[in-house]
Amino acid sequence: MKDLKILIAPWGWPEMYNTVKYKLEEREIRSKTATGALKKFLNPDYTVLIFPDSLAVYIPKTFEIEYYKTIVGNLKKYLIEKFLKSCEWFPDYSEKNTEVLISPNVGTFIYRERDKDTCKSIEKGRLTIKGTMSDYFSWIYYHLSQFIFEKLGDAEKLTLILDTSHGINFMSILTYLALYEIGSVIELKLRNDVKFNLYNADPFAQNVESMELNLVRKVIPKIYLPRRVKTQKFLPLKAFTKSLDLSKDIQDIDIFKEFDRMYKNNCLPFLGAFSQGIPLGVLTFIPADLNIFEELNQQVISYFETYIDVQKGIDGANMIFKRKLKFTQYFDSSLFLHNLIRILSNIGIAQREEASLNELRIISKKIYGNFPTILNRIIDEINNLKRNDNRKKMLKDRKKIVNWTSFGDCKSELNKRNFFAHAGLSKNSFEYKYTGERCSIRYCKEQMEIIKNYLVETVRADN
């Protein structure tokens, strides 16, 4: 049984960290970082280190470069060479098991040096980053999702370890939220074998002899239902400041328009079916194309980073990163949907318009094992369809019913309350046929748009 362990840690400027003795239970080690000590103690398979792009202010060459991607590329190389390849900060660095991410920050950051003659602190560089703090969440949600799902493979256990000892406070908080979201989706497959452990070292004090590494929280992330999302036009990015031209350019991006159609026709009704315990709806509407999620999310990140202007001051030691775009809740929704569909696909759930009652039972147990109230309602409805004598139409002359036959009156009004109360299997919502002893069902084409609208209404979060 493979137990996959991934250590994740936001960091600040490593040069500010002092060597101290870190202790975990009965073990101890000297290190400049809590992350380095945890790496030695816990022996994770992979480590992800997250640095803010504001650290570029500490590199004089930054102020000579005109392009954001070049600046963060140089920053990444600098951090690896100067700090990560030194065991003082980070033991046993390897490109194969260490991911280094340079994330978006906001605010003004100043690099100062002390003058040897006057002992005064002199400003050497000033970097201002204009954007929204929430961009960090969406950005890290995407990158951690990509990394974790790439490494997950056939692992039967997953342990996510977050070290919040270093870095900016909002980075730790938002990284925790992103990891919880990712872990909660994977937990649908691995159940109680997804662990999420949060560590933090004692607060640092000068001349301290040792610092404890505290296991602050140990949780099994759980997905929450129902799930609500934005349901208007799908736009994962919007202009940070009022700009009609930029807003129009964003709305005209081809893949955004293409995904908007799938978002409304498949993603929203699928999410409604998933959230409300409608297994036939899950199969009917789950998006069939995972590649479009991959392409969409990659392009969103690319556009976000491409539209970052680098502006220089006259003195050559003053710079502004001005982000023209910001992420929206639609992007977060697409990331959640992508992760959810990846997990469901992995456990054998794919789009199809029909299923047998036994298949619906099996699928429901896979999806709703953590939701006994929902699962019991679904199983009860399936059992009723199989045994209820008042529905003899479904039981007699089964060999003759080889063509799709309405169970109820598919042209009659579909009652919303009945539809949800019966787990999406109310009598005038579906039709059926027999292949030998196998009874297959599907939604009536006459009711499809009504069913879709009912499901979308359950996830609507628009004001």
Side-chain angles (χ1 to χ4, degrees):
M1 179 180 292
K2 180 170 174 51
D3 182 0
L4 177 64
K5 289 196 291 187
I6 303 176
L7 171 62
I8 305 98
W11 277 20
W13 181 236
E15 203 165 75
M16 298 174 65
Y17 303 154
N18 295 313
T19 301
V20 295
K21 185 189 296 180
Y22 286 99
K23 298 173 67 176
L24 182 64
E25 297 173 347
E26 301 300 319
R27 294 167 291 176
E28 59 183 45
I29 189 174
R30 293 187 66 80
S31 173
K32 281 183 175 287
T33 64
T35 310
L38 284 171
K39 188 171 185 290
K40 277 293 188 183
F41 292 146
L42 304 179
N43 192 30
D45 298 287
Y46 300 98
T47 304
V48 181
L49 299 177
I50 308 163
F51 296 91
D53 56 3
S54 52
L55 297 184
V57 74
Y58 292 101
I59 306 175
K61 189 177 180 181
T62 294
F63 298 91
E64 303 171 6
I65 303 172
E66 297 181 356
Y67 301 105
Y68 177 78
K69 290 185 178 180
T70 306
I71 290 171
V72 296
N74 286 349
L75 174 59
K76 181 176 178 178
K77 291 177 184 176
Y78 183 89
L79 292 168
I80 291 172
E81 292 298 324
K82 184 173 178 62
F83 302 110
L84 301 189
K85 289 187 176 180
S86 169
C87 285
E88 287 184 282
W89 282 277
F90 189 78
D92 308 318
Y93 171 79
S94 167
E95 287 186 7
K96 292 182 179 180
N97 57 27
T98 308
E99 179 79 353
V100 178
L101 300 175
I102 309 297
S103 64
N105 200 356
V106 291
T108 297
F109 305 88
I110 301 170
Y111 172 54
R112 292 185 173 91
E113 288 184 356
R114 187 170 295 278
D115 185 89
K116 294 180 181 178
D117 298 325
T118 64
C119 293
K120 290 183 178 181
S121 179
I122 300 174
E123 183 176 315
K124 291 291 187 179
R126 178 183 291 258
L127 172 62
T128 299
I129 304 175
K130 296 183 178 181
T132 61
M133 193 173 286
S134 59
D135 287 336
Y136 175 86
F137 173 79
S138 301
W139 191 94
I140 205 65
Y141 189 5
Y142 167 76
H143 284 280
L144 289 177
S145 293
Q146 291 296 96
F147 185 84
I148 292 170
F149 274 87
E150 177 188 328
K151 304 303 181 187
L152 185 63
D154 296 325
E156 297 178 23
K157 289 185 177 181
L158 172 66
T159 302
L160 299 173
I161 305 160
L162 176 61
D163 173 25
T164 60
S165 305
H166 308 293
I168 304 171
N169 54 6
F170 82 85
M171 291 174 64
S172 296
I173 294 167
L174 296 180
T175 302
Y176 178 90
L177 293 176
L179 286 170
Y180 193 96
E181 281 278 276
I182 296 165
S184 69
V185 171
I186 296 173
E187 199 267 345
L188 286 174
K189 176 187 176 185
L190 301 184
R191 300 294 166 84
N192 292 328
D193 285 324
V194 176
K195 303 289 191 294
F196 185 15
N197 300 335
L198 174 63
Y199 284 86
N200 200 96
D202 288 343
F204 178 76
Q206 292 291 337
N207 302 319
V208 67
E209 290 187 9
S210 64
M211 294 170 63
E212 292 286 342
L213 289 167
N214 305 287
L215 178 55
V216 178
R217 190 174 178 88
K218 188 173 184 179
V219 299
I220 297 174
K222 300 284 185 180
I223 205 165
Y224 60 88
L225 297 177
R227 191 90 185 193
R228 296 189 179 275
V229 296
K230 297 289 187 180
T231 59
Q232 301 301 317
K233 184 175 182 180
F234 182 84
L235 280 177
L237 293 166
K238 64 188 297 186
F240 176 61
T241 56
K242 291 183 179 180
S243 170
L244 293 178
D245 290 340
L246 183 55
S247 295
K248 186 178 183 304
D249 289 344
I250 293 299
Q251 293 184 42
D252 288 340
I253 293 174
D254 287 340
I255 194 167
F256 293 179
K257 293 190 287 187
E258 179 184 352
F259 194 85
D260 179 64
R261 290 188 287 271
M262 190 176 83
Y263 187 70
K264 291 172 180 173
N265 292 329
N266 290 96
C267 293
L268 294 177
F270 155 72
L271 187 55
F274 171 79
S275 295
Q276 298 297 321
I278 313 294
L280 185 57
V282 170
L283 290 179
T284 303
F285 296 109
I286 185 172
D289 184 7
L290 271 173
N291 292 328
I292 191 172
F293 283 95
E294 200 73 43
E295 184 181 354
L296 168 78
N297 295 333
Q298 286 177 358
Q299 287 207 28
V300 171
I301 292 293
S302 178
Y303 277 110
F304 174 79
E305 294 180 346
T306 299
Y307 280 85
I308 299 178
D309 280 352
V310 175
Q311 301 172 354
K312 296 184 180 182
I314 299 174
D315 59 3
N318 196 335
M319 181 174 282
I320 298 174
F321 294 165
K322 186 177 181 180
R323 300 204 290 265
K324 291 186 174 183
L325 299 175
K326 60 182 178 181
F327 298 112
T328 72
Q329 291 181 35
Y330 287 98
F331 183 51
D332 299 341
S333 297
S334 74
L335 294 173
F336 170 76
L337 284 162
H338 189 198
N339 289 346
L340 178 59
I341 295 165
R342 282 196 272 202
I343 284 296
L344 294 183
S345 298
N346 191 263
I347 59 178
I349 298 172
Q351 187 185 91
R352 47 186 166 143
E353 68 172 14
E354 64 180 81
S356 72
L357 295 178
N358 284 333
E359 286 172 331
L360 286 183
R361 185 194 303 272
I362 293 169
I363 287 168
S364 298
K365 288 180 178 179
K366 286 182 178 181
I367 300 176
Y368 301 108
N370 289 335
F371 303 93
T373 302
I374 294 176
L375 180 59
N376 290 339
R377 175 169 55 87
I378 296 170
I379 299 302
D380 189 53
E381 287 300 320
I382 292 173
N383 290 340
N384 283 341
L385 286 176
K386 283 193 159 188
R387 67 171 180 253
N388 196 330
D389 290 338
N390 292 325
R391 298 177 178 180
K392 292 180 180 179
K393 183 178 180 181
M394 195 167 186
L395 302 175
K396 72 176 184 178
D397 297 330
R398 61 181 59 180
K399 291 182 180 179
K400 296 179 182 179
I401 307 175
V402 294
N403 297 317
W404 289 108
T405 304
S406 300
F407 183 52
D409 182 3
C410 281
K411 295 183 180 180
S412 65
E413 183 179 356
L414 182 62
N415 183 275
K416 183 193 295 187
R417 181 181 178 281
N418 285 342
F419 177 76
F420 287 109
H422 293 285
L425 297 174
S426 53
K427 64 181 182 180
N428 60 336
S429 67
F430 68 91
E431 52 191 7
Y432 71 104
K433 71 176 181 179
Y434 278 96
T435 304
E437 294 297 311
R438 182 176 189 252
C439 176
S440 296
I441 64 174
R442 71 179 185 185
Y443 282 129
C444 303
K445 290 184 171 24
E446 296 90 341
Q447 303 284 27
M448 193 65 78
E449 283 303 310
I450 296 172
I451 291 171
K452 185 186 296 185
N453 291 334
Y454 284 170
L455 293 173
V456 172
E457 286 177 14
T458 67
V459 298
R460 193 182 303 278
D462 305 297
N463 295 326

PDB file of all heavy atoms in Angstrom, residues 99 120 125 165 169 196 255 324 338-339 360 381 403 427:
ATOM      1  N   GLU A  99       9.316  20.944  -5.440  1.00  0.00           N
ATOM      2  CA  GLU A  99       8.664  21.906  -6.332  1.00  0.00           C
ATOM      3  C   GLU A  99       8.799  23.299  -5.716  1.00  0.00           C
ATOM      4  O   GLU A  99       8.476  23.499  -4.534  1.00  0.00           O
ATOM      5  CB  GLU A  99       7.187  21.552  -6.512  1.00  0.00           C
ATOM      6  CG  GLU A  99       6.412  22.489  -7.402  1.00  0.00           C
ATOM      7  CD  GLU A  99       6.632  22.241  -8.882  1.00  0.00           C
ATOM      8  OE1 GLU A  99       7.509  21.396  -9.213  1.00  0.00           O
ATOM      9  OE2 GLU A  99       5.943  22.859  -9.704  1.00  0.00           O
ATOM     10  N   LYS A 120      23.881  53.707   9.387  1.00  0.00           N
ATOM     11  CA  LYS A 120      22.489  53.993   9.084  1.00  0.00           C
ATOM     12  C   LYS A 120      21.955  53.003   8.042  1.00  0.00           C
ATOM     13  O   LYS A 120      22.697  52.516   7.191  1.00  0.00           O
ATOM     14  CB  LYS A 120      22.340  55.420   8.564  1.00  0.00           C
ATOM     15  CG  LYS A 120      22.577  56.486   9.624  1.00  0.00           C
ATOM     16  CD  LYS A 120      22.346  57.877   9.039  1.00  0.00           C
ATOM     17  CE  LYS A 120      22.542  58.944  10.099  1.00  0.00           C
ATOM     18  NZ  LYS A 120      22.310  60.315   9.553  1.00  0.00           N
ATOM     19  N   GLY A 125      16.368  49.367  -2.588  1.00  0.00           N
ATOM     20  CA  GLY A 125      15.385  48.969  -3.595  1.00  0.00           C
ATOM     21  C   GLY A 125      13.979  49.015  -3.025  1.00  0.00           C
ATOM     22  O   GLY A 125      13.772  48.724  -1.841  1.00  0.00           O
ATOM     23  N   SER A 165       5.211  27.776   9.674  1.00  0.00           N
ATOM     24  CA  SER A 165       6.172  28.457  10.551  1.00  0.00           C
ATOM     25  C   SER A 165       6.777  29.695   9.915  1.00  0.00           C
ATOM     26  O   SER A 165       7.197  30.622  10.614  1.00  0.00           O
ATOM     27  CB  SER A 165       7.308  27.497  10.936  1.00  0.00           C
ATOM     28  OG  SER A 165       6.805  26.324  11.515  1.00  0.00           O
ATOM     29  N   ASN A 169       1.535  35.801   6.733  1.00  0.00           N
ATOM     30  CA  ASN A 169       0.386  35.141   7.361  1.00  0.00           C
ATOM     31  C   ASN A 169      -0.726  34.783   6.383  1.00  0.00           C
ATOM     32  O   ASN A 169      -1.293  33.696   6.453  1.00  0.00           O
ATOM     33  CB  ASN A 169      -0.165  36.009   8.516  1.00  0.00           C
ATOM     34  CG  ASN A 169      -0.491  37.431   8.086  1.00  0.00           C
ATOM     35  OD1 ASN A 169      -0.428  37.778   6.920  1.00  0.00           O
ATOM     36  ND2 ASN A 169      -0.833  38.261   9.065  1.00  0.00           N
ATOM     37  N   PHE A 196      -4.603  15.383   6.774  1.00  0.00           N
ATOM     38  CA  PHE A 196      -4.103  16.743   6.581  1.00  0.00           C
ATOM     39  C   PHE A 196      -3.583  17.232   7.926  1.00  0.00           C
ATOM     40  O   PHE A 196      -4.354  17.458   8.855  1.00  0.00           O
ATOM     41  CB  PHE A 196      -5.230  17.629   6.056  1.00  0.00           C
ATOM     42  CG  PHE A 196      -4.804  19.042   5.704  1.00  0.00           C
ATOM     43  CD1 PHE A 196      -3.472  19.392   5.563  1.00  0.00           C
ATOM     44  CD2 PHE A 196      -5.763  20.027   5.509  1.00  0.00           C
ATOM     45  CE1 PHE A 196      -3.094  20.684   5.233  1.00  0.00           C
ATOM     46  CE2 PHE A 196      -5.403  21.329   5.183  1.00  0.00           C
ATOM     47  CZ  PHE A 196      -4.069  21.653   5.048  1.00  0.00           C
ATOM     48  N   ILE A 255     -11.571  30.271 -25.764  1.00  0.00           N
ATOM     49  CA  ILE A 255     -11.786  29.141 -24.854  1.00  0.00           C
ATOM     50  C   ILE A 255     -12.725  29.513 -23.717  1.00  0.00           C
ATOM     51  O   ILE A 255     -13.435  28.656 -23.185  1.00  0.00           O
ATOM     52  CB  ILE A 255     -10.447  28.597 -24.300  1.00  0.00           C
ATOM     53  CG1 ILE A 255     -10.686  27.223 -23.652  1.00  0.00           C
ATOM     54  CG2 ILE A 255      -9.815  29.575 -23.316  1.00  0.00           C
ATOM     55  CD1 ILE A 255      -9.444  26.453 -23.357  1.00  0.00           C
ATOM     56  N   LYS A 324      -2.937  43.637 -14.294  1.00  0.00           N
ATOM     57  CA  LYS A 324      -4.094  44.196 -14.995  1.00  0.00           C
ATOM     58  C   LYS A 324      -5.339  43.330 -14.837  1.00  0.00           C
ATOM     59  O   LYS A 324      -6.452  43.790 -15.057  1.00  0.00           O
ATOM     60  CB  LYS A 324      -3.780  44.363 -16.478  1.00  0.00           C
ATOM     61  CG  LYS A 324      -2.763  45.448 -16.781  1.00  0.00           C
ATOM     62  CD  LYS A 324      -2.640  45.633 -18.284  1.00  0.00           C
ATOM     63  CE  LYS A 324      -1.749  46.810 -18.626  1.00  0.00           C
ATOM     64  NZ  LYS A 324      -1.691  47.030 -20.096  1.00  0.00           N
ATOM     65  N   HIS A 338     -12.845  20.575 -11.982  1.00  0.00           N
ATOM     66  CA  HIS A 338     -11.807  19.760 -12.609  1.00  0.00           C
ATOM     67  C   HIS A 338     -11.323  18.667 -11.658  1.00  0.00           C
ATOM     68  O   HIS A 338     -11.237  17.485 -12.020  1.00  0.00           O
ATOM     69  CB  HIS A 338     -10.639  20.648 -13.033  1.00  0.00           C
ATOM     70  CG  HIS A 338      -9.618  19.948 -13.862  1.00  0.00           C
ATOM     71  ND1 HIS A 338      -8.345  20.426 -14.049  1.00  0.00           N
ATOM     72  CD2 HIS A 338      -9.660  18.774 -14.557  1.00  0.00           C
ATOM     73  CE1 HIS A 338      -7.668  19.601 -14.816  1.00  0.00           C
ATOM     74  NE2 HIS A 338      -8.431  18.586 -15.125  1.00  0.00           N
ATOM     75  N   ASN A 339     -11.035  19.050 -10.409  1.00  0.00           N
ATOM     76  CA  ASN A 339     -10.574  18.067  -9.426  1.00  0.00           C
ATOM     77  C   ASN A 339     -11.644  17.014  -9.155  1.00  0.00           C
ATOM     78  O   ASN A 339     -11.349  15.814  -9.068  1.00  0.00           O
ATOM     79  CB  ASN A 339     -10.200  18.767  -8.124  1.00  0.00           C
ATOM     80  CG  ASN A 339      -8.933  19.594  -8.245  1.00  0.00           C
ATOM     81  OD1 ASN A 339      -8.180  19.453  -9.206  1.00  0.00           O
ATOM     82  ND2 ASN A 339      -8.699  20.476  -7.288  1.00  0.00           N
ATOM     83  N   LEU A 360     -26.617   2.253 -10.723  1.00  0.00           N
ATOM     84  CA  LEU A 360     -26.898   3.454  -9.927  1.00  0.00           C
ATOM     85  C   LEU A 360     -26.621   3.195  -8.449  1.00  0.00           C
ATOM     86  O   LEU A 360     -26.121   4.072  -7.730  1.00  0.00           O
ATOM     87  CB  LEU A 360     -28.342   3.897 -10.111  1.00  0.00           C
ATOM     88  CG  LEU A 360     -28.709   4.558 -11.448  1.00  0.00           C
ATOM     89  CD1 LEU A 360     -30.159   5.008 -11.423  1.00  0.00           C
ATOM     90  CD2 LEU A 360     -27.794   5.734 -11.756  1.00  0.00           C
ATOM     91  N   GLU A 381     -34.985   4.581  -2.848  1.00  0.00           N
ATOM     92  CA  GLU A 381     -35.722   4.826  -4.094  1.00  0.00           C
ATOM     93  C   GLU A 381     -35.454   3.718  -5.117  1.00  0.00           C
ATOM     94  O   GLU A 381     -36.372   3.261  -5.812  1.00  0.00           O
ATOM     95  CB  GLU A 381     -35.325   6.177  -4.684  1.00  0.00           C
ATOM     96  CG  GLU A 381     -35.866   7.369  -3.923  1.00  0.00           C
ATOM     97  CD  GLU A 381     -37.385   7.382  -3.872  1.00  0.00           C
ATOM     98  OE1 GLU A 381     -38.026   7.044  -4.889  1.00  0.00           O
ATOM     99  OE2 GLU A 381     -37.933   7.732  -2.815  1.00  0.00           O
ATOM    100  N   ASN A 403     -37.761  -1.620 -26.016  1.00  0.00           N
ATOM    101  CA  ASN A 403     -37.619  -0.237 -26.468  1.00  0.00           C
ATOM    102  C   ASN A 403     -37.909   0.700 -25.304  1.00  0.00           C
ATOM    103  O   ASN A 403     -38.588   0.334 -24.346  1.00  0.00           O
ATOM    104  CB  ASN A 403     -38.584   0.056 -27.625  1.00  0.00           C
ATOM    105  CG  ASN A 403     -38.284  -0.794 -28.845  1.00  0.00           C
ATOM    106  OD1 ASN A 403     -37.134  -0.965 -29.221  1.00  0.00           O
ATOM    107  ND2 ASN A 403     -39.326  -1.346 -29.452  1.00  0.00           N
ATOM    108  N   LYS A 427     -41.607   9.388 -10.983  1.00  0.00           N
ATOM    109  CA  LYS A 427     -42.093   8.481 -12.031  1.00  0.00           C
ATOM    110  C   LYS A 427     -42.233   9.115 -13.413  1.00  0.00           C
ATOM    111  O   LYS A 427     -42.108   8.412 -14.422  1.00  0.00           O
ATOM    112  CB  LYS A 427     -43.418   7.855 -11.612  1.00  0.00           C
ATOM    113  CG  LYS A 427     -44.568   8.838 -11.443  1.00  0.00           C
ATOM    114  CD  LYS A 427     -45.817   8.096 -11.006  1.00  0.00           C
ATOM    115  CE  LYS A 427     -47.010   9.050 -10.860  1.00  0.00           C
ATOM    116  NZ  LYS A 427     -48.222   8.317 -10.443  1.00  0.00           N
TER     117      LYS A 427
END
